[in-house]
Amino acid sequence: MSFSLPQAWVLLLPLGLFLWKYGRRPGPPMWLRAALLVLAVGALSGPELRLGTAGSDVVVVVDRSASMPRDVDRTAQELVTLLEAQRRPGDRVGVVTFGREARVEQSLSASGSFGGFTRPVDAEASDLSAALDAAGALIPEARMGRVLVLSDGRATGVDARGAARRLAARGLAVDWRHVARPEPPLDVAVVSLDVPASVAVREPFQFSAVVQASAAVTGTVRLERNGRVLVQGPFDFTPGANVLPLRDLVEEPGLVRYQLTVEVPGDGVAENDKGLAVLRVEGPPRVLLLTNQPRGTLAKALGATGMQLDVRAPFRLTLDALDGVGSVVLENVDANTLGEPGLNALAAYVEQAGGGLVMTGGRSSFGEGGYRRSPLEPLLPVSLEMREEQRRAAVALSVLMDCSCSMGVTVPDGRTKMELAAEGVVAALTLLNPKDEVSVHMVDTEAHEIFPLSPVEDGLPLDEVARGFSGGGGIYVGEALRVGKGEILRSEKATRHVLLFSDAADSEEPADYQRTLSELRAKDVTVSVIGLGSPKDVDAKLLQEVASRGGGRMYFAEDAMSLPRIFSQETLTVARATFVDEPASLEGAPDLPLLGRLPSEGLPQIGGYNLTYLKPQASVALRTLDTNAAPVLAMWPRGAGRTVAFTAEVDGPFTGELREWSSLRAALEAMVRWTLAGSTPVGEAMVRSERQGHLLRVTLDLPPGEPLPGALPTLVLLPGDGRTAPVERPMRWEDEDRLVAEYPLEGSGTWHPVVRLGSRVLRAPPVALPYAPEFEPGSAKEGLELLRAVAAVGGGVERLSMTGLFMEAPESQGRWALAPWLVALALAVLLAEVVVRRFLSGPRVRKAGATTVAVPRTTPGVARSAPAARAETRPAEGAATATQGAATPPEPAPKPREGGVDSALEAARARSRRRLDR
């Protein structure tokens, strides 16, 4: 027996003393009260009986990384099925899969069967340590069992033996089964492509490549720079390491990307046949202007300032494209043209790498441009919220959500597409005005009403929307539009809109959609479409036609993570409340001098602006003179970088007098130069980066004699494509002037290290990893040895057969809680004590000789008569004399004087007698 709260037994001593002093009663009631006290304290202590017949838990950990055999899913499912067939009563089986991250495919189950792998994993890495920790978290602390690993042992990340030790401390052993590709007879791999950290423009330089060959063979080598072939020809490889000397000269600053490819007949591992390297070509910081008007007012104004200006149309941004850029200027750019990874990359570039950002206004910028709920929104000095006073007219909105089976697919962060879409709809509904009306339906092969067209002020069941479900089949577009028409035409609002969300690869049965859309347009109802996918998907043209015929907008969400942002963007666009299209005069604000010598008089009138609100602690240089008093030019430092928001349109139909303003060029130049100041390198500290295999090593050399930093610098690793979150690691001292940090890279691509040194930011040269670390040259024996070492920590064994695994697994100790039974018994004892005391226990009998006649005390100073004195000392005459003759009743004792000490004492005695007589 065990107790969850054994300290409760200490209460027996004070409670027992209390019962003895105030609750004492002779006979059975006293014993029952004592038993009641013991039972109550015992229940409070949480007693449990432990039984060794509760079965065992076995978690199967499956490696699904790129280095595993292609049929690993089938093999793993067969093994799990064999395990499930061996379960005894109380035994449970769970499944954890892993690549770069660990996923729980099946929680511990005592019945049923494993239905296969459904959760996607990033196959470019295999973090066995994280998978073992996930298996340990799946098994409750009170249970026993084992962990079975199916892997080739080519693990990346931290040493998995640490996780095995944590499992062993709980008595959980790690068994293993080696599942690997056959070892190829020939493998030629590009081990490294070593380029200098940086070079100057037109500076000749040499670099080299190392190619590992398992046998002598002749192959073809091709070297490319930014897609242009520099070298191509045959090469004779010898067994072992082969060094290839190379040279080049670059004439433009920026980041240069080299790729070396080796083609050899019969190569058994094609994944490691290429090498990547990036080279930073130094030059002055550039200004990257993204605009749809390359010859417009803004491009001409910045070009005349003498700054290094790179004018490009909006594109999918990466950190590679931003290397060497001091500031990015977005002129009326829609967020969707940058891509969700591009928005992440731009946010990391500003906040982590110390870059600058300038955003100008227009119909495709700020709120209506899709930046609300984007990674850039927290970086802007203005808020993109929509307030009550902005609304001009009420809106009626009918939302049609695809809930087909494809919406149940999970995304890399573990959520389903349906959950992200529901989050987007909830975000859109929170932007509506109380006078607006809205309905929400989910549609697969039929419509499922979440709630009909209802006023927002009556309250919306947002929790029901957030619990969106995934049904079956594809979405029937025709049925969805018919339902939307029926709902929206019930409204009399001035603006009526239908929003269809559908999978661009699974939209079916359009039926009479053209007729439905014609009827909606005839009633001044517009229809927009959010398609999950890309314009290349099979049903993309149908969705584009629906948006075109419906007079609305078409959005493609190639990344499901962008859905909340796109839903908010469409709602703001329909409401048309975040852009003021009327002329407004300007006035200089107190922070205008931060931008230099700009005139505060003679400011132009602008034709329109994006209505935003100044964030706390942000600086404002210009604002409107209308009733909004809205910021037009605001700035603030954010993270390591700086951002500027200019909400007026520089070149467009709402520019107004701004185009003719004599100080326009000076103002635009001041904005950009203010953001460039945040990216200027400071001090003489030197930061370097190098890659050894998949291990990144970054060093920071401090100038001799410089005061030591108050806090240790940190390494921030930024992914070049923006698809994963930045990673931060502390640096450690290697000698008195050098700090170092190491990090295992877990996937292919480009990585940009940034060192934070106090308030300074130092950008290290970027590094590239050409292929997943698991494909580095090596033998299968290395993975085998790792699995053996992990299993040896806790006494695990190799499992060539699944037979007997549950028999060898330790039994969990079942727990039987006794507290409910003790409480029930205590209630029974309480009832028994009441019955015994009331009906089976006789009244208390006082001793006859102890009975005296109570005589009140006399008032001091008043003499008592002799008969009265004798009556005080005379014993009571017994019951016989008291019952003789009712005509002579005993004389009642005089009442004590009210309000005196005697009355209080007598009342206390009476209460005591009543308690004892119970």
Side-chain angles (χ1 to χ4, degrees):
M1 180 182 292
S2 63
F3 301 92
S4 59
L5 189 63
Q7 302 90 332
W9 288 107
V10 179
L11 297 175
L12 272 182
L13 181 60
L15 294 179
L17 292 176
F18 182 84
L19 177 63
W20 179 260
K21 185 172 180 62
Y22 297 104
R24 184 173 52 179
R25 182 180 179 87
M30 186 62 188
W31 294 105
L32 291 174
R33 291 182 181 185
L36 178 62
L37 176 61
V38 173
L39 290 173
V41 174
L44 186 61
S45 66
E48 294 177 330
L49 284 179
R50 293 191 176 185
L51 307 175
T53 59
S56 300
D57 292 340
V58 172
V59 178
V60 183
V61 176
V62 183
D63 184 353
R64 297 176 63 211
S65 61
S67 64
M68 293 290 290
R70 299 186 184 278
D71 62 345
V72 62
D73 288 3
R74 180 185 58 81
T75 302
Q77 187 166 0
E78 291 176 355
L79 294 177
V80 173
T81 302
L82 290 175
L83 272 178
E84 290 174 334
Q86 299 178 38
R87 284 180 299 206
R88 304 162 301 177
D91 291 339
R92 302 187 300 179
V93 175
V95 180
V96 171
T97 183
F98 71 98
R100 185 192 299 273
E101 66 287 318
R103 304 284 189 198
V104 177
E105 282 285 355
Q106 175 180 287
S107 299
L108 290 168
S109 173
S111 60
S113 60
F114 178 54
F117 297 96
T118 59
R119 308 198 67 181
V121 296
D122 188 340
E124 287 207 337
S126 54
D127 194 345
L128 178 58
S129 177
L132 292 178
D133 285 335
L138 201 58
I139 301 177
E141 291 286 343
R143 298 275 297 180
M144 299 298 294
R146 302 183 81 90
V147 175
L148 174 63
V149 176
L150 275 63
S151 173
D152 60 358
R154 300 180 69 87
T156 62
V158 298
D159 193 342
R161 285 174 290 187
R165 292 188 188 97
R166 291 188 287 272
L167 292 175
R170 296 176 48 192
L172 303 175
V174 179
D175 298 336
W176 56 278
R177 179 165 181 173
H178 190 240
V179 180
R181 293 183 179 184
E183 194 161 351
L186 175 64
D187 182 19
V188 178
V190 181
V191 176
S192 65
L193 184 57
D194 301 319
V195 299
S198 62
V199 298
V201 176
R202 299 189 60 81
E203 174 189 351
F205 62 94
Q206 295 181 341
F207 60 106
S208 62
V210 178
V211 179
Q212 183 84 20
S214 61
V217 66
T218 299
T220 302
V221 175
R222 183 175 68 254
L223 178 67
E224 302 175 34
R225 185 226 299 160
N226 292 342
R228 175 189 172 190
V229 178
L230 300 180
V231 176
Q232 184 169 359
F235 191 90
D236 296 327
F237 295 100
T238 61
N242 298 263
V243 180
L244 282 67
L246 304 165
R247 64 177 61 190
D248 197 11
L249 179 147
V250 184
E251 298 184 354
E252 296 290 338
L255 197 68
V256 178
R257 182 184 181 92
Y258 289 96
Q259 176 171 312
L260 179 72
T261 306
V262 177
E263 298 177 356
V264 177
D267 191 349
V269 184
E271 290 86 352
N272 58 17
D273 290 348
K274 68 178 181 178
L276 293 178
V278 287
L279 171 65
R280 177 177 290 169
V281 182
E282 298 288 356
R286 309 190 317 276
V287 175
L288 176 61
L289 171 60
L290 300 182
T291 178
N292 293 309
Q293 304 181 79
R295 300 179 183 273
T297 302
L298 183 57
K300 292 179 180 179
L302 294 181
T305 62
M307 294 184 290
Q308 296 287 330
L309 182 64
D310 183 8
V311 182
R312 299 182 62 180
F315 64 98
R316 305 280 174 164
L317 286 176
T318 63
L319 279 175
D320 296 354
L322 297 176
D323 194 79
V325 174
S327 182
V328 177
V329 181
L330 303 177
E331 183 186 12
N332 200 16
V333 174
D334 191 292
N336 295 299
T337 62
L338 304 179
E340 198 67 19
L343 293 171
N344 291 326
L346 185 54
Y349 159 79
V350 174
E351 190 167 19
Q352 306 292 345
L357 173 64
V358 178
M359 183 181 294
T360 68
R363 285 286 191 187
S364 298
S365 188
F366 293 100
E368 290 193 25
Y371 291 94
R372 178 174 170 81
R373 296 182 66 90
S374 76
L376 290 185
E377 183 183 14
L379 305 183
L380 295 175
V382 292
S383 171
L384 306 184
E385 61 186 303
M386 183 171 65
R387 296 183 179 177
E388 181 76 17
E389 59 269 19
Q390 296 175 232
R391 302 302 300 271
R392 300 180 182 180
V395 174
L397 179 65
S398 176
V399 181
L400 308 170
M401 302 175 61
D402 182 353
C403 67
S404 60
C405 58
S406 62
M407 292 295 108
V409 177
T410 56
V411 296
D413 74 343
R415 291 181 291 176
T416 64
K417 296 178 180 179
M418 190 73 253
E419 290 173 334
L420 287 169
E423 180 183 335
V425 173
V426 171
L429 297 185
T430 56
L431 294 173
L432 296 177
N433 188 291
K435 299 301 181 182
D436 292 339
E437 296 175 343
V438 64
S439 67
V440 176
H441 289 75
M442 293 186 180
V443 186
D444 43 27
T445 57
E446 59 181 347
H448 309 276
E449 183 180 276
I450 303 302
F451 59 88
L453 193 71
S454 309
V456 175
E457 60 186 353
D458 292 347
L460 301 178
L462 298 181
D463 55 336
E464 295 184 16
V465 179
R467 292 195 298 266
F469 59 90
S470 175
I475 177 174
Y476 282 16
V477 174
E479 175 65 19
L481 293 175
R482 283 194 295 270
V483 171
K485 183 187 75 171
E487 289 291 330
I488 202 68
L489 293 183
R490 293 168 48 198
S491 175
E492 300 295 333
K493 301 297 182 183
T495 302
R496 295 179 293 181
H497 189 67
V498 175
L499 178 57
L500 171 65
F501 165 68
S502 182
D503 192 338
D506 193 23
S507 299
E508 305 174 358
E509 299 295 333
D512 56 347
Y513 73 102
Q514 296 178 351
R515 176 182 176 183
T516 303
L517 292 171
S518 298
E519 294 174 353
L520 288 174
R521 293 301 293 135
K523 299 290 186 179
D524 293 328
V525 178
T526 53
V527 180
S528 291
V529 179
I530 300 177
L532 183 59
S534 71
K536 298 179 181 179
D537 288 333
V538 293
D539 297 321
K541 290 184 178 180
L542 169 63
L543 299 182
Q544 288 175 319
E545 184 182 357
V546 170
S548 176
R549 290 178 176 271
R553 288 151 296 279
M554 179 71 220
Y555 305 88
F556 282 105
E558 297 185 25
D559 189 336
M561 300 295 292
S562 65
L563 287 175
R565 177 180 59 79
I566 295 177
F567 272 102
S568 296
Q569 177 182 2
E570 173 62 9
T571 305
L572 293 174
T573 303
V574 171
R576 288 197 173 273
T578 61
F579 190 86
V580 178
D581 54 6
E582 299 175 355
S585 299
L586 301 180
E587 68 171 351
D591 298 319
L592 183 60
L594 292 176
L595 297 176
R597 297 182 178 180
L598 293 179
S600 59
E601 302 294 336
L603 296 173
Q605 188 181 64
I606 56 178
Y609 61 93
N610 295 85
L611 181 55
T612 61
Y613 301 91
L614 191 70
K615 289 182 180 178
Q617 301 180 350
S619 301
V620 58
L622 295 174
R623 59 185 167 216
T624 63
L625 282 172
D626 56 11
T627 56
N628 294 320
V632 173
L633 177 54
M635 61 275 192
W636 70 348
R638 189 64 178 176
R642 296 182 175 188
T643 61
V644 170
F646 186 63
T647 61
E649 190 174 42
V650 177
D651 196 357
F654 301 99
T655 303
E657 300 175 357
L658 186 65
R659 186 181 290 107
E660 308 300 329
W661 185 33
S662 60
S663 299
L664 176 61
R665 194 186 81 178
L668 296 174
E669 180 181 3
M671 296 179 211
V672 176
R673 291 197 184 278
W674 187 83
T675 59
L676 283 171
S679 61
T680 303
V682 181
E684 299 179 358
M686 181 70 68
V687 60
R688 298 182 178 87
S689 58
E690 61 177 338
R691 180 178 65 85
Q692 300 173 352
H694 70 284
L695 184 66
L696 171 65
R697 177 182 171 88
V698 178
T699 58
L700 173 64
D701 292 313
L702 299 175
E706 180 174 311
L708 298 179
L712 282 178
T714 58
L715 167 67
V716 182
L717 195 61
L718 309 176
D721 57 8
R723 295 189 178 275
T724 56
V727 177
E728 188 168 358
R729 289 290 184 272
M731 304 190 76
R732 56 179 174 82
W733 289 102
E734 191 174 58
D735 58 35
E736 59 181 7
D737 293 325
R738 172 173 292 181
L739 295 104
V740 65
E742 295 178 341
Y743 183 78
L745 302 176
E746 298 182 344
S748 61
T750 306
W751 304 85
H752 294 253
V754 174
V755 174
R756 285 188 173 183
L757 179 59
S759 59
R760 293 180 289 175
V761 171
L762 303 175
R763 301 185 194 178
V767 297
L769 193 64
Y771 45 81
E774 300 171 325
F775 295 115
E776 293 176 0
S779 66
K781 294 181 180 178
E782 296 176 0
L784 198 59
E785 291 301 322
L786 175 63
L787 294 177
R788 286 174 178 164
V790 169
V793 172
V797 298
E798 182 179 9
R799 292 286 177 182
L800 299 178
S801 172
M802 300 296 105
T803 304
L805 194 151
F806 276 109
M807 297 297 296
E808 299 176 18
E811 284 279 328
S812 301
Q813 292 184 338
R815 295 173 181 266
W816 185 23
L818 299 179
W821 298 95
L822 293 182
V823 171
L825 186 57
L827 291 175
V829 171
L830 177 62
L831 294 176
E833 191 274 341
V834 172
V835 171
V836 169
R837 175 167 43 84
R838 290 292 186 184
F839 303 107
L840 302 181
S841 179
R844 298 191 60 172
V845 180
R846 299 181 182 178
K847 295 182 180 180
T851 305
T852 58
V853 178
V855 179
R857 297 179 181 177
T858 59
T859 305
V862 179
R864 289 179 294 177
S865 62
R870 287 193 298 270
E872 277 187 17
T873 58
R874 183 188 313 150
E877 292 284 336
T881 58
T883 56
Q884 292 176 2
T888 59
E891 184 178 352
K895 291 184 178 180
R897 184 170 53 89
E898 290 186 0
V901 176
D902 294 339
S903 63
L905 293 175
E906 187 61 22
R909 293 190 189 98
R911 287 194 297 270
S912 177
R913 285 195 297 272
R914 284 195 298 270
R915 284 196 299 269
L916 293 175
D917 289 337
R918 291 176 182 174

